[in-house]
Structure formats: structure tokens, C-alpha cells
Amino acid sequence: MISRLVSLRPAIYALTVAAGLAAASAVHAQQEPRLDVIYVPTPQEVVDRMLALAKVGPGDYMIDFGCGDGRMVVTAAKLGARGYGVDINPQRIKEANENAARAGVTDKVEFKIANLFEQDLSKADVMAMYLLPDINLRLRPKILDTMKPGTRIVSHAFDMGDWKPEVEEKVDGRNVYFWIVPAKVGGSWEVDGAQKMTLKLDQTFQFFTGKADIGGKSVEVTDGQLKGADISFKVDGKTFTGKVSGGSIAGDGWKATKA
């Protein structure tokens, strides 16, 4: 996350990450990745803004893929969070541990050389990334399937394809992206309350559309959106808001169960 290349900076660095991951596979177990890429740290201003967008603070557990010298994780720890950083370069991991020691946060952080795709994402509250777009896209299904709704994701330099970010900014000339992992609501739901109906929803990331069957009358579901587990949509001009918890949704005066 904290590395920035002098020449073709983010792309070459992320390609080195990808090459290192391939080298870590069983097929290439005996090969060592090239680690002679020159880098300079990403400005602290970018780190601070990413952590602010994700609202990192006490009680949070953050993972950082492409952690470089650990500045993102160390800064998060100074805000009261716990952190875990992954990088392919042993020298960067050494520097990250040294930076954590200087900051007095070694009890709150951990740094490892590891395969990104083998990491457990389910316990994280925040995930930070500085990777190539194709690696982001390869990670995206795991992010959506295994991270809990409401997990905050921040990425430096690269997006995640057609998953629209909640926020996209330029900080010190660098692109910064922010997403919130949405709950899963696609499928059929039975709604009880003042308005009884059956919903059939089609979800695309944090947005959804669908149909509501109200006493045999089909009505469009519009303005469907999720902010983590928080859901809102409109049916026949009425706005519904609630919170998703697995196979149920609890709203004000209504509830729904997965059919």
C-alpha cells in the first residue's frame, strides 16, 4: 500500500506482487520473485485520507494487501486499530516491523510475506489494497462472498471494475476508492406488516431492482440500495428502510424473510 515506483510506479510494483504470488505457488515453489524494484513511499496525506474514508479507529481490525513499509497499518494502529499487512518483498516486511517498533505499536500489528488469495478476510472490519486491477477483480468475489456486510474497502490507484465505489477521490494526484461490502438480498422475500407482499429482487453489488407482488398486482421495486446491511427501496411510492441479517430483514413496522 505504501510503495510507489519511480518508473511506471503502481503498475510495475503491482506486477511484482503478482509475480511474487505466482512464484509462491506449488508450480513455482523453487523460484524467487524479482525484488529489485526501486520504490518510494506513498505520501502520508494519501494514507491519512484513506483511513479517514474508511473511518478507521479503536476496535477495528484492518488488513492491508501490498503493505510496503507498513505505513498504512502502523498509522491505523496509532488510531487505535489492529492491523495485518501482507507484502511480497522481505525487505518491505523488515521495514514495516521496524516502523511498528519505532511507533510503539508492535502489539497491535502483524506483517507477513503471504499469498493474498489464501488469506482469511472474514474477520476484517477494513481492507486496504494497492494492487493491479486484474488482481483486484480476482479478489472481488472473495471480498463479496466472505467479508461481512458493512466491511469498508479502500484502494489506492485502482478500482474494482463495474463495482461502483461509494467514493472516488484524487489525493495528491493519486486515485483513491472506497466501497462498503453489501449484504446479499437477491432472490425472493416474504414481507409482513401493514403491507404484505412478495419481493423478487435482482442485485448488482450495492444496488438492486425487482418486482413486488401485492395481492396479485405486480409493482416495480425502485431505488433499491444497500449500505452494508442497511437497505432502502421504494414500492408503489412508499419507501421501505431496514437492516438485513442473513435471511431476514427488520424494518420499522415491517419485516421480511427469505423465501
Side-chain angles (χ1 to χ4, degrees):
M1 180 58 63
I2 319 305
S3 298
R4 194 74 177 173
L5 303 186
V6 171
S7 174
L8 297 179
R9 287 170 279 216
I12 296 177
Y13 176 70
L15 281 169
T16 302
V17 173
L21 291 178
S25 70
V27 175
H28 301 286
Q30 302 304 315
Q31 299 179 7
E32 290 296 330
R34 291 182 61 83
L35 300 173
D36 54 349
V37 179
I38 299 171
Y39 87 102
V40 293
T42 294
Q44 187 67 35
E45 178 185 2
V46 178
V47 172
D48 292 340
R49 182 55 184 156
M50 291 176 73
L51 294 175
L53 281 173
K55 298 182 179 179
V56 176
D60 282 331
Y61 176 59
M62 188 186 80
I63 56 178
D64 183 5
F65 282 176
C67 69
D69 68 3
R71 189 177 305 181
M72 179 72 68
V73 175
V74 168
T75 304
K78 290 165 71 174
L79 294 172
R82 295 178 299 114
Y84 171 55
V86 175
D87 202 281
I88 196 62
N89 192 328
Q91 179 61 28
R92 300 291 82 81
I93 296 299
K94 179 176 180 292
E95 292 168 357
N97 283 312
E98 290 171 349
N99 289 337
R102 278 193 292 270
V105 295
T106 54
D107 60 325
K108 294 182 178 181
V109 302
E110 180 183 11
F111 298 100
K112 282 186 177 181
I113 300 171
N115 188 318
L116 308 182
F117 301 100
E118 295 176 354
Q119 302 306 295
D120 180 7
L121 309 183
S122 64
K123 297 178 181 178
D125 302 296
V126 181
M127 179 177 177
M129 303 187 297
Y130 187 14
L131 305 167
L132 271 179
D134 66 315
I135 299 177
N136 284 1
L137 289 177
R138 286 173 62 195
L139 280 169
R140 190 176 79 180
K142 188 171 183 177
I143 290 170
L144 291 167
D145 291 341
T146 68
M147 301 190 89
K148 57 184 177 289
T151 303
R152 293 98 74 194
I153 312 292
V154 282
S155 176
H156 180 193
F158 300 112
D159 63 16
M160 282 195 275
D162 56 349
W163 183 7
K164 183 180 178 181
E166 303 289 335
V167 179
E168 178 180 348
E169 293 185 357
K170 277 198 177 292
V171 182
D172 194 33
R174 282 113 168 137
N175 292 324
V176 172
Y177 303 91
F178 171 69
W179 298 264
I180 302 172
V181 175
K184 294 180 182 298
V185 297
S188 297
W189 297 81
E190 295 294 335
V191 178
D192 280 324
Q195 182 72 75
K196 295 183 182 295
M197 57 185 167
T198 298
L199 300 176
K200 291 186 178 180
L201 305 179
D202 296 312
Q203 181 177 359
T204 304
F205 307 113
Q206 70 268 48
F207 302 106
F208 62 92
T209 58
K211 299 280 188 179
D213 185 296
I214 307 173
K217 177 185 176 183
S218 181
V219 180
E220 294 286 336
V221 175
T222 62
D223 299 335
Q225 189 166 357
L226 291 146
K227 293 280 188 181
D230 294 326
I231 188 172
S232 64
F233 59 95
K234 289 183 179 179
V235 173
D236 205 20
K238 181 179 179 181
T239 298
F240 291 78
T241 61
K243 188 173 288 290
V244 183
S245 178
S248 64
I249 305 173
D252 185 8
W254 68 281
K255 62 181 181 179
T257 54
K258 199 75 179 285

